[in-house]
């Protein structure tokens, strides 16, 4: 018998159905009923973590407080639940194998032949139960990445089958997310792909307890009955998940469909309270009824794929709602910026955010965007590489150090205003060797950021190798770019700002990872507020 209840979320028919959002929405509903709930994601790929993946592959790499580089779904979990995730919340096949192979090398298997079953499956089962056994949660939701039937997913599905058996009835259930496509030629919704995917799951010995059906059209009662009969679930366990205008509507839609009620019933948990979603609804109300509108340019090099900057996009939604402002985020490809077109490309932007990134591609465009914001008094926020570009731009234009650069882009630069920390110079491995996770930061008294945070000691998450070079600090400060946040232990510069500018802030860390619905990030809230104020000021000036 286990005290913790387990919910497994699998996906069928196709990828990209939004398992992460469904898992987060269900978790929200359970949390709102008072259940301590967390979510973890198991990814079937062989990378040890997504840290070495190009954002074009799986979107943004999300970073937790404990420095885990994880799947972007963990961002949704934190944004919905306002509960911190950790290394234990994201496991990949690479990590599972790494750990089993390390145990084998240490002789822990006592001469046995090491196999997928039981060694890999045991490792998976152990990882699934780490959070449950911590005693911190009543319910653990485990999302299995990929689609059932994939070769890579098989050990995970087998582990789930074994765990369900071991946990016993009512202690573990399976929610299967599928697609019910609409064939316009036939004018109808089709249930066959779902039937097949439920069958594939059954071949592995798993019976879905609940079906969540993604659809672009309302699923009729008849179709629900048909799905129930042929997929062997009760009709009330067939849940429609219709396309929503915002992901933040999904918890309420799932509540209407009774996903939380049927889940509690299957887990034999009391269902005598209504979820308290007052704060959530208030956020939605503000999000959907903005009083003002601003346009903010997101200058990056992965802009073709909106998921590359997922947390930034979501942080703007939270900060927009907090200010009752509709924030239109306009993506600008940094590689397409040139001295000739910069005025045109920046036209209509009320604020400018220069995004994080790695490598040389597109950086000159980022420097140009910083200069445009600085010289035209446009509120500016630079995040990580964006902050580094702000420092480089200032060094080049204001200090006259024409070839100033980061040693990441030019190892021979005469003015390495951004460079490696001494202890990092000998590192050759790419995975997991950056400054990662939560670090303390002290904010300078009287600075803009201190005002924005309403506090002088903060903690923020990092993911970078290069740092502000303190050799240039004095020179920069004399010329007007002030280091206003630094690590109290190492003295590394974490924040720069220009006090003579209406709102110009560069941060070496990633504030976007910590913004949630319940707790919008102060830096984004302050930025959006400044963008609106500056826009109104300019409008008034042009009217006068
Ligand atoms: N490439 C830069 C570094 O490694 C910035 C990284 C980032 O923007 N996350 O320092």
């Amino acid at each position: 018998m286990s005290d913790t209840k387990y919910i497994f979320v699998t996906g069928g028919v196709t990828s990209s159905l939004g398992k992460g959002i469904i898992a987060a929405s269900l978790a929200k509903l359970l949390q709102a009923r008072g259940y301590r709930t967390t979510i973890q994601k198991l990814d079937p790929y062989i990378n040890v973590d997504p840290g070495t993946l190009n954002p074009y592959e799986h979107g943004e790499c999300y970073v937790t407080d404990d420095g885990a580089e994880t799947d972007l779904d963990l961002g949704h979990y934190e944004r919905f639940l306002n509960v911190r995730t950790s290394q234990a919340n994201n496991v990949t096949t690479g990590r599972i194998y790494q750990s089993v192979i390390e145990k084998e090398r240490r002789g822990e298997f006592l001469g046995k032949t090491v196999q997928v079953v039981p060694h890999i499956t045991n490792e998976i089962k152990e990882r699934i139960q780490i959070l449950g056994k911590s005693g911190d949660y009543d319910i653990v939701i485990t999302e299995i990445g990929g689609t059932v039937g994939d070769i890579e997913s098989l050990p995970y599905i087998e582990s789930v089958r074994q765990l369900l058996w071991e946990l016993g009835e009512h202690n573990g259930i399976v929610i299967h997310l599928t697609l019910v496509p609409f064939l316009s030629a036939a004018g109808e919704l089709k249930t066959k792909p779902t039937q097949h995917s439920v069958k594939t799951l059954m071949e592995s010995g798993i019976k879905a307890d609940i079906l969540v059906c993604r659809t672009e059209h309302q699923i009729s009662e008849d179709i629900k009955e048909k799905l129930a009969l042929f997929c062997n679930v009760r009709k009330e366990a067939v849940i429609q998940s219709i396309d929503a205008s915002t992901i933040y509507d999904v918890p309420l839609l799932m509540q209407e469909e009774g996903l939380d009620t049927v889940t509690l019933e299957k887990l034999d948990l009391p269902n005598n309270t209504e979820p308290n979603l007052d704060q959530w609804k208030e956020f939605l109300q503000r999000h959907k009824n903005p009083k003002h509108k601003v346009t903010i340019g997101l200058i990056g090099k992965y802009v073709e794929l909106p998921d590359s900057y997922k947390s930034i996009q979501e942080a703007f939604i939270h900060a927009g709602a907090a200010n009752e402002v509709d924030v239109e985020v306009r993506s600008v490809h940094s590689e397409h910026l040139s001295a000739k077109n910069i005025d045109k490309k920046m036209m209509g932007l009320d604020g400018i955010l220069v995004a994080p990134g790695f490598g040389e591609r597109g950086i000159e465009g980022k420097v140009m965007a910083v200069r445009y914001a600085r010289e035209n008094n446009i509120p500016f926020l630079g995040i990580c590489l964006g902050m580094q570009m702000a420092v480089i731009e200032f060094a080049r234009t204001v200090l006259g150090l024409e070839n100033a650069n980061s040693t990441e882009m030019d190892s021979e630069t005469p003015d390495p205003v951004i460079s490696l920390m001494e202890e990092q110079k000998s590192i050759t491995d790419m995975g997991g060797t950056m400054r990662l996770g939560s670090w303390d930061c002290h904010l300078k008294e009287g600075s803009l950021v201190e005002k924005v945070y309403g506090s002088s000691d903060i903690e923020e998450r990092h993911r970078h190798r290069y740092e502000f070079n303190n050799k240039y600090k004095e020179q920069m400060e004399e010329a007007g770019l002030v280091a206003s946040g630094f690590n109290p232990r190492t003295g590394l510069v974490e924040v720069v700002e220009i006090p003579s500018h209406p709102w110009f802030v560069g941060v070496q860390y990633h504030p976007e990872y910590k913004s949630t619905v319940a707790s919008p990030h102060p830096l984004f809230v302050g930025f959006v507020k400044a963008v609106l104020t500056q826009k109104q000021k300019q409008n008034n000036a042009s009217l006068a």
Side-chain angles (χ1 to χ4, degrees):
M1 248 314 273
S2 132
D3 291 338
T4 309
K5 306 275 187 174
Y6 290 86
I7 299 172
F8 301 97
V9 181
T10 58
V13 184
T14 154
S15 58
S16 306
L17 289 180
K19 273 191 299 255
I21 302 294
I22 294 295
S25 299
L26 175 59
K28 183 79 225 167
L29 293 174
L30 297 171
Q31 183 195 52
R33 287 173 183 265
Y35 292 106
R36 296 170 306 157
T37 309
T38 188
I39 320 177
Q40 67 171 181
K41 172 138 195 218
L42 306 184
D43 273 311
Y45 51 72
I46 296 173
N47 302 63
V48 172
D49 60 45
T52 52
L53 285 172
N54 185 320
Y56 289 126
E57 295 283 319
H58 289 274
E60 154 188 292
C61 170
Y62 186 77
V63 179
T64 59
D65 272 342
D66 65 350
E69 296 175 276
T70 73
D71 186 82
L72 60 77
D73 273 346
L74 269 76
H76 292 308
Y77 307 162
E78 288 206 10
R79 288 188 280 273
F80 275 51
L81 299 181
N82 202 33
V83 169
R84 299 285 174 233
T85 57
S86 69
Q87 187 71 69
N89 295 73
N90 192 200
V91 180
T92 69
T93 295
R95 194 170 291 282
I96 298 281
Y97 272 79
Q98 189 181 44
S99 145
V100 170
I101 290 168
E102 276 166 11
K103 285 182 188 163
E104 185 272 337
R105 294 287 83 185
R106 287 197 298 266
E108 286 184 28
F109 298 118
L110 306 174
K112 289 269 183 226
T113 309
V114 180
Q115 295 179 292
V116 173
V117 181
H119 302 98
I120 296 295
T121 47
N122 281 350
E123 183 75 27
I124 295 174
K125 287 195 289 179
E126 216 173 277
R127 299 278 177 148
I128 292 175
Q129 293 176 96
I130 285 178
L131 291 163
K133 286 184 176 161
S134 71
D136 294 336
Y137 304 103
D138 305 313
I139 300 172
V140 176
I141 301 181
T142 303
E143 178 192 343
I144 315 283
T147 311
V148 294
D150 292 351
I151 292 175
E152 289 96 334
S153 307
L154 286 174
Y156 292 98
I157 300 291
E158 169 60 11
S159 308
V160 170
R161 186 195 68 74
Q162 291 184 16
L163 252 184
L164 287 168
W165 187 85
E166 287 164 17
L167 290 165
E169 226 180 325
H170 303 303
N171 292 323
I173 60 165
V174 173
I175 299 181
H176 191 54
L177 178 64
T178 75
L179 176 71
V180 177
F182 181 77
L183 280 196
S184 42
E188 35 177 55
L189 288 166
K190 291 296 187 187
T191 64
K192 195 71 82 177
T194 299
Q195 294 182 41
H196 279 298
S197 113
V198 168
K199 225 179 242 171
T200 308
L201 202 52
M202 269 202 221
E203 278 166 16
S204 303
I206 295 181
K207 181 187 165 306
D209 295 286
I210 298 173
L211 285 184
V212 176
C213 306
R214 284 300 307 273
T215 175
E216 290 173 355
H217 297 269
Q218 291 287 341
I219 298 179
S220 67
E221 292 303 304
D222 284 355
I223 296 213
K224 278 194 176 177
E225 248 158 51
K226 189 171 171 188
L227 281 164
L229 177 63
F230 291 113
C231 299
N232 212 12
V233 297
R234 295 217 325 266
K235 191 177 155 215
E236 58 275 24
V238 179
I239 306 290
Q240 158 184 289
S241 166
I242 200 155
D243 288 359
S245 62
T246 153
I247 55 169
Y248 298 106
D249 272 338
V250 180
L252 302 178
L253 292 173
M254 289 302 102
Q255 187 190 13
E256 264 170 44
E257 282 282 309
L259 176 61
D260 53 335
T261 341
V262 70
T263 299
L264 291 174
E265 221 173 87
K266 300 254 175 215
L267 290 173
D268 212 7
L269 286 172
N271 172 18
N272 39 22
T273 51
E274 274 298 302
N276 179 355
L277 291 163
D278 293 350
Q279 199 190 20
W280 191 270
K281 287 179 185 161
E282 197 190 311
F283 156 77
L284 270 176
Q285 172 69 17
R286 291 167 79 91
H287 171 52
K288 290 184 175 177
N289 299 287
K291 297 201 171 95
H292 315 275
K293 161 143 201 211
V294 298
T295 306
I296 295 179
L298 170 62
I299 324 297
K301 68 168 172 178
Y302 307 112
V303 291
E304 301 90 334
L305 187 76
D307 273 3
S308 309
Y309 302 111
K310 195 77 201 160
S311 294
I312 293 177
Q313 305 270 6
E314 300 304 318
F316 274 128
I317 292 179
H318 310 151
N323 283 296
E324 298 185 289
V325 175
D326 172 14
V327 181
E328 182 195 331
V329 179
R330 190 179 298 166
S331 297
V332 179
H333 203 306
S334 53
E335 254 188 320
H336 301 164
L337 289 176
S338 66
K340 264 199 198 136
N341 69 14
I342 184 90
D343 286 342
K344 202 167 135 226
K345 294 260 185 193
M346 299 290 116
M347 204 170 10
L349 298 182
D350 306 310
I352 291 176
L353 184 146
V354 175
F358 292 84
E360 208 182 343
R361 190 165 68 89
I363 69 138
E364 292 307 324
K366 288 185 171 172
V367 171
M368 265 176 238
V370 174
R371 181 168 183 180
Y372 189 90
R374 189 176 57 75
E375 292 183 343
N376 294 287
N377 286 335
I378 298 175
F380 169 85
L381 178 59
I383 298 183
C384 208
L385 185 70
M387 172 268 203
Q388 298 176 352
M389 293 302 116
V391 171
I392 291 169
E393 191 280 321
F394 194 84
R396 288 185 189 172
T397 324
V398 181
L399 301 185
L401 309 172
E402 252 171 67
N403 295 311
N405 214 330
S406 160
T407 52
E408 179 182 8
M409 320 304 166
D410 176 6
S411 54
E412 305 291 306
T413 171
D415 289 299
V417 289
I418 304 292
S419 70
L420 274 189
M421 293 180 283
E422 270 317 306
E423 61 266 33
Q424 288 207 309
K425 287 191 176 155
S426 58
I427 292 175
T428 49
D429 267 12
M430 290 306 259
T433 55
M434 287 186 267
R435 181 143 83 102
L436 284 166
S438 191
W439 289 70
D440 292 339
C441 172
H442 180 75
L443 303 175
K444 204 168 168 176
E445 213 187 310
S447 63
L448 170 61
V449 276
E450 190 207 36
K451 230 178 287 151
V452 164
Y453 276 90
S455 161
S456 50
D457 288 288
I458 57 163
E459 287 164 16
E460 291 283 6
R461 298 182 198 172
H462 290 246
R463 181 173 185 253
H464 60 103
R465 283 197 178 81
Y466 297 83
E467 304 282 353
F468 180 98
N469 186 343
N470 270 319
K471 263 196 250 153
Y472 292 87
K473 186 165 159 250
E474 217 181 290
Q475 216 179 334
M476 299 253 182
E477 294 203 322
E478 272 167 19
L481 180 111
V482 174
S484 55
F486 55 92
N487 181 285
R489 206 172 43 80
T490 59
L492 288 172
V493 171
E494 310 282 32
V495 189
V496 295
E497 59 184 69
I498 298 180
S500 60
H501 186 282
W503 209 95
F504 188 105
V505 176
V507 290
Q508 186 57 80
Y509 50 78
H510 291 264
E512 70 275 22
Y513 294 143
K514 282 178 82 167
S515 187
T516 70
V517 166
S519 174
H521 197 285
L523 209 49
F524 278 86
V525 175
F527 181 44
V528 169
K529 193 172 170 196
V531 171
L532 178 67
T533 312
Q534 187 71 3
K535 182 180 178 175
Q536 287 171 336
K537 228 189 248 171
Q538 261 155 10
N539 282 351
N540 290 342
S542 61
L543 285 176

